Each structure stands twice: as C-alpha cells, then as structure tokens.
Amino acid sequence: MIEHSHLKIIQALHTNGTLTEAANALCLSQPALSHQISYLEKKLGVKLWEREGRNLRLTQAGLLLLETANQVLPVLSQTEKTLEAYREGRQGILRIGVECYPCFEWLTGMIGQYMRQMPGIDVDIVQKFQFSGLEGLLNHHIDVLITPDLVRKDNIAYEILAEYQLVLLAAPDHPLADLPQITPELLSKETLLTFPVPLERLDILTHFLTPAHLKPAQLKPIESLEIMLQMTALNRGVCVLPEWLSDIKNKDLNLRKIQIGDQGLDQKLYLALWEAEKDVTYIRQFIGVGQKVAESYTV
C-alpha cells in the first residue's frame, strides 16, 4: 500500500517545507507532486499535510509516515548499495571447501593476500567437507572447492590453480637419500607415511606403485603434517608431498628431496565451482591470486 516513492515524498515535504522546493528536490513539477500527494491521501484515507501560507505542515498521520520514512529509507539505500556491490563483485560471501591437507596449506599461503585485495568479501572456510568436498559443492554448502581431483559433473567447472610435482622426502642418513630418483621397487620396501585418506586418493599408490603391482612394506597414516615431517627426519619412514610444500616446510629439517620415477609424478590443484559462477568477479579474483601465489612457489 505504501510505496518507496511515497516515503521519499513525505520526507521531501518535511525537509524542504514548501511544495515548490519539495518538487524541485524530487525532480518533479509542482502539479505532478500535488497529484501524487492527493492520490496518496485518497489511497490512505487520511490527510497528510496542511497548508500554512506558503509552507506545509505535516498532520499527525503525516508525521507517522515521516517517522517510517526516516527508518526505512536509509535501510533501503544501504541495501541498494550492497546489491550494487554484489553485482560489481565488490561484496559477498565466499564459502571455500578444502579437500586435502596440501590444499589447506596452499589456501593458508594465499588467503591473506586475497582478503587484503577484496576487503568487502567475507570468507568462510568449510573444513567439515574434507575428503568429500564435491558433495558439499553439489549441495550448495560451499561456493568453491580446492581439490587435487578432477571429477566430471554436469554444470561443474574446474580451474587449474597450480601445477607441480610430487616428491619423496627422506632423512639425510636414509639409504634412499642420495638417489636422484626413486623406483617402485625401492619404495615398496619402505614405510610410507601418508595423510589419513582413502587409498584410492593417494597418487603415490594409484599412479606409481599400483601400476607396478606393488605396495609399501607398511602404510602409516599421520594426521599432522608437522608430525609426519618430524617422523621422516627421525627415519621412521618416508613421505610424499607436493614439491612446493616440501620446499616451504623443509627449511629447518634438511630432508632429502627425491624425484619419483623417471619423469617425476605430476599433479594439479584445481578449483571446482559451478559453471554459472565462474565469471563472478570475486571468484575470478580468488583464482587469480591463487595462481599468482602458486607461480611464486615454483620459481
């Protein structure tokens, strides 16, 4: 019954005091404004203003409408500005799913830079979808998913965030430490420290040992990356990490980095998202910052 324009009219009448000045403020002609006021009074069934010479005085009903206008119009104005920011990609909420331990380490290295560049974007890191993040994306619990696995689904797009090699890490005095590369046969004799994920998600198995019909002497899942590295340094096993992550974490441990196979074991890190949202400004910015950070890791 009461429209946005009605509230602006009653506020303009109060602020400007005369019909002429109120019409000028609203970019209307005086007859047009008089017509709108008469229409509103007829629609509401009450008088909203009275003339006192050249000036206008709001009635009790007019003052009630003015109070409503003073409360509602600032809220509507802020809402319009916020929606404009959403449209231009300057404001919003980005819910990020993280599907692997290295994914979280990669996110840690770039999220601060992203938030500094996009101060209007709220960031929510959803960790409960770890290792089942695609389901979270498909159910709209998250907006984007950082994952090493490309699983084709209708309407889901993948952007490459980083390309790198996986490497084997061993203690300096480990028998494998001085080898330029590791073979499946040699690795099959070792205790392999891994993150606690399903075996089919361990690339060192699916792309290196299993094709050779081999498996590690022992597979030991470790929750903490730091503990995994400490155990590796103490010769309790060997581990496999992305090369960029090993370079970051290995500065104080002096672990030996060994190539996996003749050509190395290549890997990609992806951002999975809905096809319809891949051009959203703040998502494109997230991808750009992430790719730039990944480049700095591999320089």
Side-chain angles (χ1 to χ4, degrees):
M1 197 171 175
I2 300 174
E3 300 176 5
H4 185 201
S5 58
H6 300 154
L7 298 179
K8 294 184 74 172
I9 287 171
I10 206 73
Q11 195 175 64
L13 288 172
H14 174 72
T15 302
N16 295 282
T18 69
L19 194 62
T20 300
E21 292 175 356
N24 290 337
L26 294 170
C27 299
L28 296 172
S29 67
Q30 183 173 324
L33 180 58
S34 295
H35 175 75
Q36 289 198 31
I37 294 172
S38 297
Y39 171 77
L40 180 58
E41 288 180 328
K42 183 177 179 180
K43 188 175 182 180
L44 297 176
V46 292
K47 291 283 291 182
L48 297 175
W49 60 281
E50 295 176 348
R51 286 186 178 274
E52 289 185 347
R54 292 182 62 254
N55 295 327
L56 300 174
R57 181 180 65 83
L58 293 175
T59 64
Q60 186 173 0
L63 289 172
L64 175 61
L65 196 58
L66 174 64
E67 182 180 352
T68 301
N70 290 338
Q71 293 174 354
V72 171
L73 289 177
V75 175
L76 288 176
S77 177
Q78 183 58 48
T79 299
E80 289 171 352
K81 291 177 182 178
T82 301
L83 290 174
E84 181 181 0
Y86 284 155
R87 185 177 68 249
E88 297 176 356
R90 294 181 287 107
Q91 189 164 332
I93 300 175
L94 182 61
R95 299 168 301 167
I96 306 167
V98 183
E99 200 173 32
C100 65
Y101 287 88
C103 298
F104 189 82
E105 294 290 338
W106 176 88
L107 179 63
T108 300
M110 62 80 64
I111 195 63
Q113 183 175 336
Y114 173 74
M115 290 192 292
R116 285 191 292 271
Q117 292 185 16
M118 304 295 289
I121 304 299
D122 289 331
V123 173
D124 187 12
I125 311 299
V126 183
Q127 293 178 276
K128 67 180 179 179
F129 296 111
Q130 199 169 37
F131 311 126
S132 59
L134 188 59
E135 180 184 350
L137 182 62
L138 293 172
N139 291 330
H140 298 280
H141 296 301
I142 55 178
D143 302 306
V144 296
L145 172 68
I146 303 170
T147 176
D149 300 322
L150 194 157
V151 181
R152 297 293 184 187
K153 293 286 184 179
D154 291 342
N155 302 316
I156 298 296
Y158 286 84
E159 296 275 352
I160 297 175
L161 296 173
E163 299 183 62
Y164 52 88
Q165 283 198 345
L166 296 175
V167 294
L168 185 75
L169 296 179
D173 56 346
H174 192 281
L176 302 177
D178 295 326
L179 294 179
Q181 65 187 51
I182 188 72
T183 65
E185 291 74 20
L186 288 173
L187 185 55
S188 68
K189 300 174 183 178
E190 301 296 327
T191 295
L192 183 61
L193 309 175
T194 71
F195 296 111
V197 301
L199 297 183
E200 63 270 17
R201 302 199 62 184
L202 289 173
D203 287 342
I204 190 63
L205 298 185
T206 59
H207 297 299
F208 191 64
L209 288 176
T210 302
H213 306 288
L214 295 169
K215 58 183 180 180
Q218 184 179 1
L219 200 63
K220 184 175 291 187
I222 306 293
E223 285 279 356
S224 165
L225 174 59
E226 284 68 27
I227 292 177
M228 182 187 296
L229 292 172
Q230 290 289 342
M231 291 181 67
T232 302
L234 294 170
N235 258 326
R236 300 297 182 89
V238 294
C239 67
V240 174
L241 288 181
E243 187 172 17
W244 60 266
L245 183 55
S246 72
D247 290 343
I248 293 172
K249 296 293 185 179
N250 194 25
K251 292 178 180 178
D252 299 325
L253 295 173
N254 197 32
L255 299 175
R256 295 295 187 264
K257 187 169 64 176
I258 306 164
Q259 180 177 294
I260 299 173
D262 294 336
Q263 305 298 322
L265 188 54
D266 294 326
Q267 178 62 288
K268 292 183 177 70
L269 195 64
Y270 299 97
L271 189 76
L273 69 161
W274 286 96
E275 183 80 32
E277 297 182 354
K278 66 179 183 179
D279 292 325
V280 173
T281 302
Y282 57 83
I283 292 179
R284 296 308 314 173
Q285 186 73 8
F286 182 84
I287 294 168
V289 171
Q291 291 173 337
K292 188 173 182 180
V293 169
E295 289 173 3
S296 70
Y297 286 155
T298 57
V299 171

